[in-house]
């Protein structure tokens, strides 16, 4: 079998053990030491997979994922991660559960969690709903297991909520660390709004990026037009993290200012908050469609917010990033995307190893020693 040579990271066993029992709802719930330990585990799985070493830590266990919104990469990463850990992946459309018939998030968590060994949820489109849904679901599982005296750990992985997309931002971080030889300290990173005609996208990727990358000493510039603010909570965290890490965080209202001298550009769209909050109370498809139409009309006022060759030309020979799917021709030109297609795929591929790291570190005692043994025995 063909191998991809990767360096196996040094592992801090105690720091990895400290992740036992954890669920990841947001990277902001993890300390910097937790994030470093998780990164090391994800990099270990990357190296092992590259060397074609099998890691079936949890045979015949069930990895259940519930998707209330569309996905290509995250679904595929969940299936790839759980099967590489020896688990059986199950991916269910959230719309086919009894949630729409009044079953609460907590009840859903208990009912699904009683039979599962790991859970993931995507619930990202409706502002104000996804984050509490995933938190309540986690509580439902944890309370059920505690009430039953069941010693199983059933970690929850946020597969994107309205607030954060932690497996995406962690994948982005790991890719950036690889690209820059280990550290993003002092790198200038532009996280910019870009025009999209397709739909009013969640805020969570950009919020996840500004709150995570500022923890690693990067100089992060956020750019968006008027009317497209991120949550104040995310802005405040990004500011706080940048002070703590020795990086910086600033907001500008034009794309060129963010791109000038940047080492990395991450231009992607999100919807106008004042319209998107209306999704919470929308009664039926017609009202949702109307909100969507108005949001996309608003986006169209800013068609010139595109990542094109001219803008790439004012960067410091920047790496282009996108969580994908990108609106090619609108968020980014065909030429720029073509140039960075492989890099974007490498960025996306880290998500599977982040998920493996989250599930395994939450469930497995002595994980550091086990991963080293896999590597040494290869
Ligand atoms: N970037 C990302 O989360 O992709 P999907 O929506 O396809 O899962």
């Amino acid at each position: 079998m063909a191998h991809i040579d990767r360096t196996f990271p040094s592992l801090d066993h105690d720091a990895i053990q400290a992740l036992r029992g954890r669920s990841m709802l947001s990277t902001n719930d993890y300390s910097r030491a937790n994030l470093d330990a998780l990164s090391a585990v994800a990099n270990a799985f990357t190296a092992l997979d590259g060397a074609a070493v099998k890691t079936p830590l949890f045979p015949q266990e069930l990895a259940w994922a519930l998707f209330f919104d569309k996905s290509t990469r995250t679904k595929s990463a969940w299936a790839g991660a759980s099967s590489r850990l020896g688990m059986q992946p199950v991916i269910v459309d959230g719309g086919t559960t009894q949630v729409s018939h009044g079953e609460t998030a907590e009840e859903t968590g208990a009912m699904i969690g009683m039979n599962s060994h790991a859970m993931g949820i995507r619930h990202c489109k409706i502002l104000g709903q996804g984050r509490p849904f995933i938190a309540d679901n986690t509580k439902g599982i944890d309370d059920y297991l505690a009430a039953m005296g069941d010693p199983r750990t059933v970690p929850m992985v946020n597969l994107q909520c309205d607030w954060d997309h932690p497996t995406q931002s962690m994948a982005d971080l790991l890719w950036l660390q690889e690209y820059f030889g280990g550290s993003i300290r002092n790198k200038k990173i532009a996280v910019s709004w870009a025009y999209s005609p397709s739909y009013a996208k969640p805020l969570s990727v950009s919020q996840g990026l500004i709150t995570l990358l500022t923890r690693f000493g990067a100089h992060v510039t956020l750019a968006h037009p008027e009317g497209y603010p991120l949550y104040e909570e995310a802005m405040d965290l990004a500011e706080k993290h940048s002070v703590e890490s020795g990086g910086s965080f600033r907001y500008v209202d034009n794309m060129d200012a963010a791109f000038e001298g940047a080492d990395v550009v991450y231009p992607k769209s999100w919807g106008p908050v004042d319209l998107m909050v209306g999704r919470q109370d929308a009664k039926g498809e017609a009202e949702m469609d109307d909100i969507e139409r108005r949001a996309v009309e608003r986006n169209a006022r800013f068609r010139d917010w595109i990542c094109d060759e001219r803008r790439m030309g004012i960067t410091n020979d920047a790496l282009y990033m996108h969580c994908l799917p990108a609106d090619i021709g609108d968020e980014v030109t065909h030429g720029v995307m073509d140039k960075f297609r492989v890099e974007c795929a490498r960025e996306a591929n880290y998500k599977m190893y982040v998920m493996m790291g989250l599930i395994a570190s939450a469930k497995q005692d002595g994980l550091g020693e086990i991963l080293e043994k896999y590597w040494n025995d290869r």
Side-chain angles (χ1 to χ4, degrees):
M1 186 176 295
H3 290 188
I4 302 171
D5 283 331
R6 301 262 192 185
T7 309
F8 190 83
S10 97
L11 300 178
D12 177 337
H13 295 179
D14 291 341
I16 294 169
Q17 189 65 24
L19 299 175
R20 272 286 274 132
R22 297 291 298 271
S23 285
M24 180 169 266
L25 307 196
S26 170
T27 60
N28 295 297
D29 303 332
Y30 277 46
S31 68
R32 173 61 204 266
N34 293 156
L35 294 173
D36 288 341
L38 173 64
S39 299
V41 171
N43 280 322
F45 278 119
T46 308
L48 288 163
D49 198 39
V53 176
K54 300 271 186 282
T55 54
L57 290 168
F58 313 112
Q60 291 159 355
E61 295 200 0
L62 180 61
W64 184 289
L66 208 48
F67 279 79
F68 288 88
D69 301 298
K70 291 177 182 168
S71 165
T72 300
R73 278 144 293 276
T74 310
K75 277 182 184 164
S76 151
W78 182 263
S82 44
S83 63
R84 278 170 176 74
L85 292 172
M87 306 176 85
Q88 172 70 47
V90 173
I91 295 174
V92 174
D93 175 349
T96 65
T97 65
Q98 298 282 21
V99 171
S100 61
H101 291 166
E103 188 163 72
T104 67
E106 221 170 305
E107 287 165 345
T108 307
M111 292 301 116
I112 295 176
M114 67 172 60
N115 300 321
S116 308
H117 301 89
M119 270 198 74
I121 298 182
R122 167 168 290 192
H123 192 319
C124 60
K125 210 169 167 192
I126 302 184
L127 284 187
Q129 282 190 5
R131 177 160 63 160
F133 183 90
I134 297 176
D136 288 352
N137 210 288
T138 309
K139 182 174 177 335
I141 301 173
D142 292 347
D143 287 355
Y144 169 81
L145 294 174
M148 298 300 289
D150 188 330
R152 281 182 304 133
T153 299
V154 182
M156 174 67 74
V157 180
N158 176 353
L159 299 177
Q160 190 175 11
C161 70
D162 56 310
W163 204 99
D164 200 355
H165 192 355
T167 62
Q168 180 67 50
S169 59
M170 282 302 299
D172 295 337
L173 173 68
L174 292 178
W175 164 232
L176 280 171
Q177 287 173 335
E178 179 189 338
Y179 185 81
F180 288 116
S183 171
I184 61 168
R185 176 161 296 282
N186 290 327
K187 297 299 175 195
K188 292 184 181 169
I189 303 177
V191 176
S192 176
W193 189 88
Y195 166 61
S196 163
S198 60
Y199 77 107
K201 301 182 185 193
L203 280 53
S204 43
V205 168
S206 304
Q207 296 193 156
L209 285 169
I210 64 165
T211 56
L212 182 66
L213 302 181
T214 45
R215 296 178 84 175
F216 291 82
H219 298 295
V220 177
T221 299
L222 172 72
H224 63 73
E226 201 181 329
Y228 289 82
L230 299 181
Y231 280 8
E232 242 178 78
E233 184 188 348
M235 300 292 282
D236 291 347
L237 277 170
E239 178 62 38
K240 174 175 171 286
H241 291 162
S242 70
V243 171
E244 287 168 358
S245 75
S248 63
F249 177 64
R250 69 177 179 138
Y251 160 72
V252 294
D253 65 1
N254 76 85
M255 210 170 179
D256 281 4
F259 271 50
E260 264 163 19
D263 301 301
V264 179
V265 295
Y266 202 129
K268 83 162 298 292
S269 196
W270 63 88
V273 175
D274 60 318
L275 294 177
M276 287 169 76
V277 290
R279 284 174 173 164
Q280 283 186 56
D281 304 316
K283 290 173 193 60
E285 288 293 313
E287 204 172 327
M288 284 293 256
D289 289 349
D290 186 53
I291 291 169
E292 196 60 37
R293 182 187 55 73
R294 287 189 291 141
V296 171
E297 265 174 28
R298 171 93 61 87
N299 286 358
R301 292 183 201 166
F302 306 102
R303 284 178 193 275
D304 57 335
W305 284 64
I306 182 168
C307 178
D308 58 12
E309 284 74 359
R310 181 193 67 76
R311 285 201 166 103
M312 288 304 282
I314 61 173
T315 69
N316 182 28
D317 195 20
L319 172 70
Y320 167 81
M321 293 178 73
H322 199 289
C323 56
L324 304 178
D327 285 295
I328 301 172
D330 294 300
E331 286 183 293
V332 58
T333 60
H334 288 264
V336 173
M337 179 51 92
D338 281 346
K339 186 170 170 203
F340 290 94
R341 197 169 291 280
V342 172
E343 283 79 1
C344 286
R346 292 177 70 175
E347 174 189 354
N349 191 224
Y350 266 115
K351 192 181 285 181
M352 180 178 73
Y353 301 114
V354 170
M355 290 179 189
M356 291 179 78
L358 284 167
I359 295 170
S361 60
K363 287 170 66 66
Q364 182 65 57
D365 277 322
L367 180 65
E369 290 90 336
I370 292 170
L371 294 176
E372 283 168 353
K373 183 162 171 28
Y374 276 137
W375 183 252
N376 293 332
D377 292 350
R378 73 191 184 284

